[in-house]
Amino acid sequence: LYYSGGKFKEAENQFQMALRDRPDYPDAHTGLGYVYHFRAFMEIQSDKAKEAIDLHEKAVGHFLKALELDPKKVEPYIGLSMVNYDEYQYFTPHKDEYRIRALGYLDKAKVAAPNNPNVHANLAFHEAKLMLAESRENGARPATSLLRTVVECEGVDPMTRVQAYHMLGGCLYMVGDKEGAIESYRKYLELFPGAQDADDVNDMIADIQTQLP
């Protein structure tokens, strides 16, 4: 509940309490991994690279521990994929091994749970991120289609949906759908009220509104 609502400190405390009672609980390790990953995402928004990298290392440790305890779990593979994509996109844009590693973890997730909608939504999300990283101008339109499948997927994890709405807002603006961009940015703020970039997003919304006929 805390995690899906963006209350990461409360979620972290709950998962740590669970691990004190049961250190071999894979779901708690997975939950902590996601908490640290999305705390890192917030640090990235604040241009705090070192803090984000440190949190990524914590996230990876908990995801790997979860898999050690239960190799059939799919969520840790998705988490590891997300961390590696962020490393590729934000910190090591010229090191393709992070992208390859991210895809490899998603492939393992597909094997572990071939019918899991979260896996397929994350594949679409990461493909969209890659398109935009390689060429924002040429990637915006195909990325828009992929991101729509992510936000419409009922099984996608809450924070992937949040990030997808943010990216979708930018893509829609680039392809000329300004009203759609405003709607997506507003949905991002609705789902992620604690966003570090909330003021910037509100400024973008206000700026786009001045461009409407």
Side-chain angles (χ1 to χ4, degrees):
L1 178 61
Y2 289 129
Y3 165 72
S4 62
K7 298 180 179 179
F8 298 118
K9 189 60 181 177
E10 293 91 336
E12 181 181 356
N13 290 338
Q14 291 293 317
F15 289 129
Q16 287 178 339
M17 287 174 59
L19 288 175
R20 280 196 291 271
D21 294 335
R22 185 181 162 190
D24 60 348
Y25 185 26
D27 289 349
H29 282 289
T30 300
L32 266 179
Y34 275 102
V35 167
Y36 290 135
H37 171 252
F38 288 111
R39 279 182 55 195
F41 177 68
M42 294 174 73
E43 297 293 359
I44 290 168
Q45 292 179 322
S46 300
D47 294 324
K48 296 179 179 178
K50 182 182 183 304
E51 290 84 348
I53 291 171
D54 290 344
L55 287 165
H56 274 168
E57 290 179 357
K58 288 185 177 181
V60 168
H62 282 286
F63 288 138
L64 292 175
K65 185 63 177 179
L67 289 170
E68 176 187 325
L69 294 167
D70 187 350
K72 295 182 180 179
K73 285 284 184 184
V74 64
E75 290 82 3
Y77 285 125
I78 294 173
L80 287 165
S81 176
M82 295 168 74
V83 168
N84 277 277
Y85 257 103
D86 281 353
E87 291 281 338
Y88 165 76
Q89 184 172 2
Y90 296 110
F91 304 126
T92 54
H94 304 297
K95 294 185 178 180
D96 202 46
E97 63 264 29
Y98 285 94
R99 182 181 66 85
I100 294 170
R101 193 180 300 164
L103 290 172
Y105 281 126
L106 281 181
D107 285 340
K108 291 180 179 180
K110 285 191 291 183
V111 172
N115 298 317
N116 188 318
N118 195 12
V119 175
H120 296 285
N122 273 276
L123 278 169
F125 178 61
H126 292 320
E127 187 176 352
K129 288 175 73 173
L130 180 59
M131 287 178 176
L132 294 171
E134 291 179 343
S135 173
R136 294 187 65 82
E137 181 178 347
N138 296 326
R141 194 168 297 279
T144 296
S145 178
L146 289 168
L147 291 168
R148 286 192 189 280
T149 68
V150 177
V151 300
E152 293 169 1
C153 175
E154 293 183 3
V156 72
D157 66 88
M159 289 307 296
T160 296
R161 191 190 308 278
V162 163
Q163 292 184 69
Y165 268 117
H166 190 289
M167 291 173 60
L168 181 58
C171 287
L172 289 169
Y173 180 77
M174 283 188 282
V175 301
D177 185 354
K178 295 175 182 177
E179 291 183 353
I182 291 172
E183 181 181 349
S184 291
Y185 281 135
R186 284 177 172 164
K187 192 67 177 177
Y188 166 76
L189 294 173
E190 174 190 333
L191 295 174
F192 196 20
Q196 298 283 348
D197 63 345
D199 289 342
D200 291 337
V201 174
N202 278 314
D203 287 344
M204 285 191 288
I205 291 172
D207 181 61
I208 296 171
Q209 286 176 322
T210 66
Q211 301 172 36
L212 295 176

